[in-house]
Structures are given as C-alpha cells and as structure tokens.
Amino acid sequence: MLNFKSISYITLLTIIAIAVCSISKNCSWLLILLPIFLWLFITIIGSFSMRANFFLKSFTSKKLIESKKIAITFDDGPHPELTYTILDILDRYNTKATFFCIGNKVEQHPEILKEIAKRGHCIGNHSYSHSVNISFSSKSKWLEEIHKTDAILKKIIGKAPLYFRPPFGVTTPNLANALKETRHTVIGWNNRSFDTVIKNKNLVLKRIINQISIGDIILFHDTQPNTPYILEHLLLHLKQHKIEAITINDLLNEN
Ligand SMILES: [Zn+2]
C-alpha cells in the first residue's frame, strides 16, 4: 500500500533520475516539477482520506466473518439537548454507541459526559478545541490538544479514552508523530452520513442504508437537529435486518 513514506521515497528517486538525465542527456530541468506536483497532489488527497492510511494507521471498518454487527459513532458533542435525545433513542433500541467528544464542550457539560458513560457507551477523544485550522497544528500543539482532553475525560469518568478521532478526518505527519507518543488507537469511518451537509433527513437516511455493510463504522454528529430522526429510522432498519450496533471497543474485538 502506498503511504507518505513510500510516495516521498519514489518522488525523491524520480527527481534524482531526472537530475542525472538533465546533466547527461540534456533532459529539461523543468521535468522535476512533474514528480513534485504529483507528490503534492497525492499528499493532499492522502491527508483527507483516513481509509488510505497515508500518514497513520486507522480503523475505518472491520471485516466480520461470523457476526452481523456495525458501530455507530457521534462526533463533536456533547450537545446540551441533542445528546440526551440520542441517548434516549439508543436506550429504546437497547443499542450501545461511541461518542467522540470535544474537550472544551465536555468542560461546559460534564454532566452529559457522565450520562454517556453511565448508559454504557464508549467515549473517545476528538481534540480539545476542534478549531478550523487544527489540522495545521505542530506536534506539540497536537499533544496539548490530546492530553488536555484526555485529562478532562479522566477527571469526569475516571479513565482516559483509548480512542482518538482526528477532527474533519484530516491526518498529517505532525498528528501521526503526536499519536505515536499518546498511543491512542485512531478511529475513522467508512459510512459517512453527511448529516452536517445534507439537510434532507430522508436523503441522509437513504444514503446510509443503501451503502451499509457488515462491520461498518458510521459517522454521525450529535450536534445536528436531524440526527435523532435519522438514528431512530436507522435503528429500526437494523432491527428488521437483525444487524446489531455495538461500540467501537466491541467492534474491534469482534470476529
Ligand atoms: Zn468533528
């Protein structure tokens, strides 16, 4: 599989070959721009695709042989109203999910985090600030974001999370280096609801159901007003098809 290291290595070799050619056979030096632009293009694509495992290894789904299970995840909370509504829906369908929480929101609503944990759901780290430019952070800034959120979560629920989900699903070499130190397991998704983008809730539901397969990790946001409706109808669909939704922790240990 091509990753950042192999692409950089191939690019470097290509540049050396072009340099040698331009000295010995009068190739144009301008040809060097070609591998550089290609490297830049692939690196940008790679940083936006967690499934490519370009900078770091992440789990975006699980191949299951024996069981009909998937994992539902919620990002960007806790939210003062919607998270409770979502917790109640999950309870009604006797379903456990995973919540990737933002540190500064947890500081504002520690009681919601306690409730998520009390109801048996899995909790992951989704950075402290989730700022729009967080993907450009240095390694030390990433460490600060991750450690700060771990400490807040640990203070409230008694244990630091094992899992981290990068904001916006964007990965970079600095984040990869930070995660090597913090040793979190990185969780992505392979079934994105687009609940933050598509405002037609039935369309969102249809998209998820059409592409659902066993072992999926589905991405929702417990900050979107349409999410409770979509979740309830998805859980109904799963029940009809005898598919169980479990936490990320359980999915990783499932066969
Ligand atoms: Zn997010």
Side-chain angles (χ1 to χ4, degrees):
M1 190 73 185
L2 290 175
N3 57 25
F4 182 59
K5 255 187 197 164
S6 56
I7 288 290
S8 300
Y9 187 62
I10 292 166
T11 304
L12 187 65
L13 287 180
T14 313
I15 289 172
I16 292 169
I18 293 170
V20 169
C21 171
S22 68
I23 292 165
S24 59
K25 294 178 186 168
N26 285 332
C27 297
S28 170
W29 276 98
L30 287 173
L31 277 175
I32 282 177
L33 291 175
L34 201 65
I36 291 172
F37 280 125
L38 200 60
W39 175 86
L40 196 63
F41 178 72
I42 295 172
T43 300
I44 290 168
I45 299 286
S47 69
F48 280 99
S49 171
M50 290 184 71
R51 292 171 77 177
N53 290 321
F54 195 67
F55 295 111
L56 52 87
K57 170 109 183 79
S58 61
F59 287 93
T60 54
S61 65
K62 178 94 187 256
K63 275 199 168 63
L64 297 179
I65 303 158
E66 294 165 13
S67 50
K68 284 178 78 176
K69 292 176 182 174
I70 60 153
I72 296 175
T73 64
F74 299 94
D75 284 12
D76 295 0
H79 184 279
E81 289 142 32
L82 293 169
T83 305
Y84 281 121
T85 310
I86 284 166
L87 287 173
D88 289 344
I89 295 169
L90 291 169
D91 277 356
R92 277 209 297 284
Y93 287 82
N94 200 20
T95 297
K96 301 299 177 206
T98 304
F99 291 79
F100 287 94
C101 299
I102 298 174
N104 69 37
K105 289 196 183 174
V106 174
E107 276 182 330
Q108 292 167 45
H109 307 288
E111 70 291 349
I112 308 178
L113 192 83
K114 272 188 195 156
E115 193 62 27
I116 296 171
K118 195 178 134 195
R119 299 201 199 186
H121 302 290
C122 183
I123 292 167
N125 182 328
H126 194 41
S127 83
Y128 177 78
S129 69
H130 202 298
S131 63
V132 285
N133 56 357
I134 195 168
S135 306
F136 300 102
S137 297
S138 63
K139 180 189 167 187
S140 61
K141 174 70 181 152
W142 271 120
L143 285 172
E144 189 190 320
E145 289 270 351
I146 298 168
H147 284 320
K148 199 170 174 183
T149 303
D150 270 1
I152 293 164
L153 297 179
K154 191 175 179 186
K155 199 176 164 195
I156 298 167
I157 57 170
K159 57 181 178 185
L162 300 171
Y163 306 114
F164 176 79
R165 175 172 278 166
F168 314 109
V170 173
T171 56
T172 63
N174 287 341
L175 174 59
N177 288 332
L179 287 165
K180 258 184 214 161
E181 267 183 42
T182 68
R183 304 178 71 85
H184 288 77
T185 301
V186 182
I187 308 294
W189 59 81
N190 69 329
N191 193 333
R192 184 180 171 186
S193 66
F194 285 96
D195 55 352
T196 53
V197 184
I198 304 170
K199 295 303 165 199
N200 181 332
K201 50 195 176 190
N202 286 311
L203 183 61
V204 175
L205 180 67
K206 201 175 159 191
R207 280 192 75 259
I208 301 166
I209 288 174
N210 280 348
Q211 61 187 31
I212 208 162
S213 61
I214 301 304
D216 271 7
I217 297 177
I218 300 177
L219 167 67
F220 280 120
H221 295 83
D222 53 331
T223 52
Q224 296 300 309
N226 285 343
T227 304
Y229 173 92
I230 300 162
L231 174 67
E232 179 131 34
H233 287 77
L234 173 64
L235 291 174
L236 202 60
H237 173 87
L238 296 178
K239 198 177 169 186
Q240 284 163 357
H241 291 79
K242 296 188 168 46
I243 300 170
E244 191 187 348
I246 57 177
T247 64
I248 285 295
N249 202 33
D250 289 340
L251 186 73
L252 293 181
N253 294 313
E254 197 67 32
N255 291 309

